[in-house]
Amino acid sequence: MGIDTLPHPLRIGVKTHPQPDLSSPYFSACFAGLATVFGQPALIVNPTSLAVDGWVLLAPDAAQVDAVRKDGQPAVIVNGAAEGLPSIDLDNVGAAREVTVHLAAQGHRRIGFIAGKLETANARDRQEGYRRGLEEQGIPWDPKLTLDGRFERAGGRKAMAQFLGMASPPTAVFAANDHMALGAWDVLKEKKIAVPDNVALAGFDDIPEANTAGLTSVRQPLTDMATQAGCLLLNWIRTSQREGKGILCVNGTLIHRFSSWTTKK
């Protein structure tokens, strides 16, 4: 039985953080993958009272996972993981470690980190990858060099301003997403601080603006990940049988651009 032979048009709830910017590259890529499986009209973002046939959770926090479990409908996760639910996730730890090692290889010893929303697993994993990269390169972790940015451009701006106010500012900054990295770059431009000559920068997600700006970033195959998750969910709905409980972990790709190529010693 295919999707076109199901007894009624599917309604797929897509749970995100509140008030998502659905025009952002992240959501565009995820919805493109899901639409290839279900069709765009089937996808309903953050429904509050409408009954759905299944759920796709995008980078969920614990409360969102709990709410979906209580709903009792089939559910899959993209960019995250939870016990008992099929999940398609990026190796965030490994990718963040690779970024940190890359910056250290350019001669940087004071590498700042701008963290995302630590209530989400991918933010925690990216911070853990940063710490592992430092350890691998023999660089002591300095908690003062990790600041909160909440995955927001304004958060990146605020964090970079705080870094620049330090007696010994970092010579490189790795932000857990591109929006924060670009916010940090905004501040450096305003202060006429050259990138990468004075401060190297790297982000995560490889949004189109990162390519335009020349920002080093990590590309994750979001459309493919969402498509795989959609196929798992559709099969669960069709057969009433969950296909696996574990996590399918995929690799990101570090995209080197000029923002991080420096030899600061």
Side-chain angles (χ1 to χ4, degrees):
M1 181 168 61
I3 189 169
D4 54 348
T5 59
L6 288 168
H8 63 268
L10 287 180
R11 296 180 298 271
I12 304 300
V14 183
K15 192 170 283 293
T16 74
H17 60 74
Q19 299 179 327
D21 177 7
L22 297 181
S23 66
S24 73
Y26 175 84
F27 287 112
S28 296
C30 289
F31 274 83
L34 294 174
T36 63
V37 179
F38 299 108
Q40 196 71 37
L43 306 175
I44 307 162
V45 179
N46 293 331
T48 55
S49 58
L50 182 69
V52 299
D53 299 289
W55 290 97
V56 177
L57 286 71
L58 301 181
D61 59 29
Q64 291 170 330
V65 172
D66 288 344
V68 166
R69 281 193 173 126
K70 289 177 182 176
D71 180 74
Q73 296 290 70
V76 295
I77 297 175
V78 179
N79 264 171
E83 185 177 350
L85 292 180
S87 306
I88 312 291
D89 200 11
L90 189 77
D91 180 6
N92 286 285
V93 174
R97 182 205 63 80
E98 187 177 3
V99 174
T100 307
V101 168
H102 162 67
L103 293 172
Q106 306 308 302
H108 296 284
R109 304 294 292 178
R110 286 186 64 76
I111 302 172
F113 182 74
I114 306 177
K117 298 177 179 178
L118 292 178
E119 62 268 31
T120 65
N122 58 359
R124 294 192 299 271
D125 286 348
R126 292 173 194 181
Q127 183 166 315
E128 175 62 21
Y130 159 73
R131 292 188 63 169
R132 290 189 190 183
L134 293 178
E135 181 180 2
E136 182 177 318
Q137 296 298 302
I139 302 173
W141 176 66
D142 182 351
K144 295 185 180 66
L145 292 182
T146 296
L147 298 178
D148 183 17
R150 302 294 295 167
F151 282 143
E152 298 171 354
R153 191 161 184 149
R157 290 180 57 90
K158 181 178 178 181
M160 181 55 79
Q162 289 179 254
F163 282 140
L164 295 178
M166 294 179 176
S168 298
T171 62
V173 172
F174 170 27
N177 79 351
D178 291 336
H179 294 294
M180 296 189 297
L182 292 166
W185 205 338
D186 290 339
V187 172
L188 294 173
K189 289 176 181 176
E190 291 166 5
K191 301 289 186 181
K192 294 182 168 46
I193 296 173
V195 173
D197 295 340
N198 298 116
V199 178
L201 281 177
F204 206 108
D205 291 334
D206 196 37
I207 65 174
E209 194 175 352
N211 183 32
T212 302
L215 176 68
T216 290
S217 189
V218 173
R219 180 176 298 161
Q220 49 180 326
L222 286 170
T223 299
D224 289 344
M225 291 164 66
T227 300
Q228 290 180 68
C231 290
L232 289 174
L233 181 60
L234 177 59
N235 189 62
W236 188 349
I237 294 170
R238 288 171 54 235
T239 66
S240 299
Q241 297 294 319
R242 178 171 51 199
E243 186 178 328
K245 303 178 183 179
I247 305 167
L248 175 59
C249 203
V250 301
N251 294 323
T253 303
L254 178 58
I255 307 298
H256 299 96
R257 299 191 179 99
F258 87 87
S259 72
S260 64
W261 284 109
T262 182
T263 53
K264 188 73 71 175
K265 300 292 183 182

